[in-house]
Amino acid sequence: MEQAVARSLRTRRLTNLLLAAFAASALLLAALGIYGVVSLTVSGRIHEFGIRLALGAQAGDIFRLVVGQGLLLALTGVTIGLASASWLTRFLGSSV
């Protein structure tokens, strides 16, 4: 009986494993993409940050500015992704 149950669950386990692997790779790619955009933004604003520091800004202020903009970028992407997924789910559900 245990072997029959194991055989019947094999496909489901494989599907779940593949789904988890794709989800992990998507998360990694998204994190690398956000890192790349933030890195490019920071490298383009080095002079601005230098002037801010010379005028009295603390390093923590610069850090909060960069992290805040990165979080805004990430939250915008998540919002657009969730809205698109919701719309696509309804669209595909209505066509079946």
Side-chain angles (χ1 to χ4, degrees):
M1 185 65 159
E2 289 179 19
Q3 290 176 350
V5 170
R7 255 185 275 128
S8 69
L9 293 177
R10 187 177 311 155
T11 305
R12 184 172 294 221
R13 286 185 182 149
L14 178 62
T15 303
N16 287 342
L17 178 66
L18 287 173
L19 182 64
F22 286 134
S25 63
L27 184 63
L28 178 66
L29 286 173
L32 286 173
I34 290 172
Y35 171 77
V37 169
V38 170
S39 175
L40 183 66
T41 302
V42 167
S43 68
R45 296 175 65 185
I46 290 274
H47 297 293
E48 175 195 342
F49 295 150
I51 292 170
R52 285 178 184 259
L53 288 171
L55 291 175
Q58 300 295 318
D61 297 333
I62 304 294
F63 180 76
R64 277 191 293 282
L65 178 69
V66 170
V67 169
Q69 289 176 346
L71 284 176
L72 180 65
L73 177 68
L75 289 176
T76 302
V78 166
T79 303
I80 291 170
L82 288 174
S84 299
S86 174
W87 178 80
L88 191 60
T89 300
R90 289 182 187 165
F91 176 72
L92 291 176
S94 67
S95 65
V96 173

